[in-house]
Amino acid sequence: MTDDGEAPAADPPRQPHQPRPHSRAYATLAALGRAEPRMTLSAADCASLEAFAEEWLARGATPDQLLAALTSGLPTAIHHPGRLARSRLLAKMPPVAAEPTSPTPSTEPALRLRIMECTVCRAPGRPESLPGGVCGPCRGEAPPDHGPAGPTAAQVRAHVRKLRRTVAVSRP
């Protein structure tokens, strides 16, 4: 009780410690240990390397490309993953991307060509030729007419024999 007869005010409830949100670069470095356990970095390592990883991402690298650069071709024994990561981040830094002045074909999204299979007979075909996943013959459609058929094998052999005779006669 206080001098004026009131109960002391209770301490305000403590809020659990809320860690500050980390950048995408920090999260990528923290995930490095899940991609390659020998390269597990401490929180201090992640914080000290965050600026280098940010530079990678600013230059157009994806988090997967960053992880690949840090994990590919590792030595058998790694004693200081933080130092190795720092060395690789600096040595393999991608070049600064040039600013495109006008849209070029390389900046447009790439067209992905896909081949599907008929779900009945497993014949390959383009997606537009397999509506519902079933090819024309399995749907009961007539096969497309591709024009007149070429010569038969017998006709080709006869034509080649004729050409050989012509060449043999014309030789002196």
Side-chain angles (χ1 to χ4, degrees), residues 32-122:
L32 182 59
R34 289 189 292 279
E36 173 55 65
R38 296 177 294 162
M39 288 294 289
T40 301
L41 300 175
S42 67
D45 287 336
C46 290
S48 69
L49 298 172
E50 184 176 12
F52 298 121
E54 282 287 348
E55 182 64 24
W56 268 72
L57 298 174
R59 292 181 179 202
T62 65
D64 288 337
Q65 290 171 328
L66 178 59
L67 288 176
L70 293 172
T71 58
S72 63
L74 290 173
T76 310
I78 299 173
H79 301 290
H80 302 286
R83 287 190 204 159
L84 180 59
R86 179 185 180 86
S87 171
R88 285 183 171 221
L89 284 170
L90 292 172
K92 295 184 174 189
M93 182 75 66
V96 177
E99 293 294 321
T101 56
S102 64
T104 61
S106 63
T107 60
E108 296 175 7
L111 177 65
R112 297 188 108 171
L113 301 177
R114 299 188 189 273
I115 298 292
M116 297 176 61
E117 277 186 352
C118 173
T119 57
V120 178
C121 69
R122 303 187 60 95

